[in-house]
Amino acid sequence: MMKIAIVGGGAAGTACATRLRRLNENDEIVIFEKSGKLALSNCGLPYLLSGIVEDGKALIGTTPEQMKQKYNIDCRLNAEVEFINRKDKSVTVKGREPESYDKLIIATGAYQLRPDINGILGEQIFTVNNLESIYKIKDFVKYNQPRNVVVAGGGYTGVEMAENLMRLGLKVSIVEASPHLLPGLDYDMAATLHNYLRGKGLRLYLNRRLTDFGDSRVTLDNGLTIEYDMAVVATGVRPDPKLTIMSDLEIGKSGGIKVDEHMQTSDKDIYAAGDDVEVTDFITRQPVRMAQAGLAVKEAKVIADHLGGLDSRFEYALGTSIIKVFEMTAASAGANEEKLKKAGISYKHFNLYGFDHSAYMPDNELLLLKLLFDADGKILGAQAIGRGNVSKRIDILALAIQNGMHAAGLEN
């Protein structure tokens, strides 16, 4: 019988715990979660803002009572692990007695980056990281009745926040440092989304950085100012290195926790999964970090299997993403042009239009698709955008990429 301690009660932590229990009825399993919620679906937070998700409870996957009753897993909320003592095999929990462990799993997740910009700590400037952060934005909108909102960052969270703020009737601007929205897409694909969102009233400031949050105007790096009443910072997430550094665990080239194929760290009694972990990109074979709940759950399963005596391995991360903005859906799988260029991988590509089902049937929609492949035709990446069934196309292409299919094989 072992005592297994899990630091973090998000997707990776809870998935690992429940899988462990299915494999072994006797091990003692304890989850330490520094917030007041377990298994929070962060991806749904923007939709709680506009009311598409009506109740925040719908985003909470489980409770300590349910975990105890169903799985006999001890979940401790508001329990922040401050230090890992590898020599004594114990963790120091803020305001509580130290806890011993036989095996430890780090599943703390990443934190929302708040860049060093003048005025960014103003009371009208918000981040998106938990239920409380959304409730703060909702209260600010309700009691202060802002009209103009600036969203810093045009990634998936930034675009989703912009959409849901627009649904509240607010005038929204996105400021994005790169040439286009959504890092999984290339510019030629993202441009379709740009035009669509501008038609909805969204103002885009691309290739621009915020340099100052004033009382009523933000300043961009080209000197332009934008009027605003509130701002949302969604410039991406970064790994929280505190526990890793203090525990003297090895950090990889990407800045994430270095793990092997069983998700073991440089200490073989400590495993790690989730946004803080370094994985190997399926296409480029380079070390990267990918903050995706689906990957976190797969990594957690590998940890549980390995502790349960099964030969389960995590080898590569393909990297897929999808977003629906109003009526438009955009998705990608594998590498885009930017990633291939950085990795020094030569490629070819083509774009094509196609209907999502038979043109003579009602409600059929035109999709724009892009395929990237090497000189031998091996598929390296795919992107799709349109109002129709984008997910079906990307699901198929993701599987094709993972199985090494060539472009010519798609016609079969």
Side-chain angles (χ1 to χ4, degrees), residues 49-66:
L49 177 62
S50 65
I52 292 177
V53 175
E54 296 180 355
D55 190 341
K57 292 179 181 178
L59 301 179
I60 301 171
T62 187
T63 66
E65 293 77 19
Q66 290 169 338

Side-chain angles (χ1 to χ4, degrees), residues 34-332:
K34 71 176 182 179
S35 76
K37 303 289 187 298
L38 274 181
L40 178 66
S41 179
N42 289 309
C43 299
L45 289 174
Y47 303 96
L48 178 63
L49 177 62
S50 65
I52 292 177
V53 175
E54 296 180 355
D55 190 341
K57 292 179 181 178
L59 301 179
I60 301 171
T62 187
T63 66
E65 293 77 19
Q66 290 169 338
M67 291 288 278
K68 186 66 177 177
Q69 181 181 15
K70 189 172 182 180
Y71 298 103
N72 191 26
I73 293 170
D74 186 6
C75 301
R76 303 178 190 177
L77 302 182
N78 301 304
E80 182 178 357
V81 173
E82 295 184 306
F83 184 71
I84 300 170
N85 189 325
R86 291 169 52 192
K87 183 178 179 181
D88 295 340
K89 297 183 74 171
S90 67
V91 295
T92 301
V93 183
K94 187 175 182 179
R96 308 186 190 190
E97 293 294 319
E99 292 264 358
S100 64
Y101 68 84
D102 295 306
K103 301 291 182 180
L104 181 73
I105 298 157
I106 299 174
T108 48
Y111 67 95
Q112 172 63 54
L113 180 68
R114 192 184 277 259
D116 185 17
I117 300 173
N118 184 47
I120 199 169
L121 298 179
E123 61 181 14
Q124 77 278 29
I125 301 167
F126 302 90
T127 56
V128 180
N129 46 40
N130 52 32
L131 284 174
E132 288 70 27
S133 66
I134 295 297
Y135 290 139
K136 286 179 181 178
I137 297 173
K138 286 173 75 77
D139 286 344
F140 187 89
V141 172
K142 179 179 179 180
Y143 295 112
N144 294 275
Q145 297 184 338
R147 294 188 60 200
N148 298 296
V149 185
V150 170
V151 176
Y156 295 92
T157 300
V159 172
E160 289 169 349
M161 285 299 295
E163 175 195 357
N164 286 281
L165 287 162
M166 290 169 69
R167 288 182 182 275
L168 294 177
L170 303 177
K171 296 180 179 179
V172 182
S173 302
I174 288 181
V175 180
E176 167 56 40
S178 75
H180 62 83
L181 300 177
L182 304 182
L185 301 181
D186 289 317
Y187 182 86
D188 56 352
M189 297 294 287
T192 299
L193 185 63
H194 297 169
N195 293 335
Y196 172 74
L197 291 176
R198 286 186 176 115
K200 287 284 187 180
L202 180 65
R203 290 170 289 188
L204 296 178
Y205 298 86
L206 304 174
N207 262 329
R208 296 271 71 92
R209 295 180 183 274
L210 279 162
T211 59
D212 182 81
F213 286 97
D215 292 335
S216 60
R217 302 187 77 86
V218 299
T219 304
L220 308 187
D221 54 3
N222 62 348
L224 182 68
T225 63
I226 307 170
E227 185 178 352
Y228 84 118
D229 303 304
M230 65 173 284
V232 176
V233 177
T235 48
V237 295
R238 294 291 183 271
D240 188 349
K242 181 176 68 174
L243 275 180
T244 312
I245 292 172
M246 288 194 301
S247 308
D248 197 28
L249 296 173
E250 187 176 352
I251 302 293
K253 294 179 180 179
S254 69
I257 303 171
K258 191 173 181 62
V259 293
D260 65 11
E261 58 192 357
H262 302 299
M263 308 308 295
Q264 285 177 300
T265 68
S266 52
D267 183 325
K268 296 307 177 185
D269 289 322
I270 300 178
Y271 295 74
D275 299 349
D276 288 351
V277 170
E278 179 176 272
V279 294
T280 302
D281 186 278
F282 182 84
I283 300 297
T284 67
R285 295 300 198 261
Q286 294 181 351
V288 294
R289 286 184 303 104
M290 292 186 184
Q292 295 181 351
L295 280 179
V297 170
K298 291 174 185 176
E299 294 161 0
K301 179 182 180 295
V302 169
I303 294 173
D305 285 354
H306 192 244
L307 287 172
L310 302 177
D311 187 24
S312 185
R313 301 165 187 264
F314 187 96
E315 295 183 333
Y316 304 108
L318 177 61
T320 59
S321 59
I322 188 165
I323 185 172
K324 188 170 187 290
V325 193
F326 296 107
E327 300 88 8
M328 189 74 74
T329 301
S332 64

Side-chain angles (χ1 to χ4, degrees), residues 352-361 363-369 388-389 393:
L352 62 94
Y353 285 99
F355 289 102
D356 65 341
H357 59 259
S358 298
Y360 54 78
M361 293 297 290
D363 300 324
N364 97 68
E365 296 285 354
L366 195 63
L367 305 181
L368 174 61
L369 299 106
N389 197 342
R393 298 300 189 278

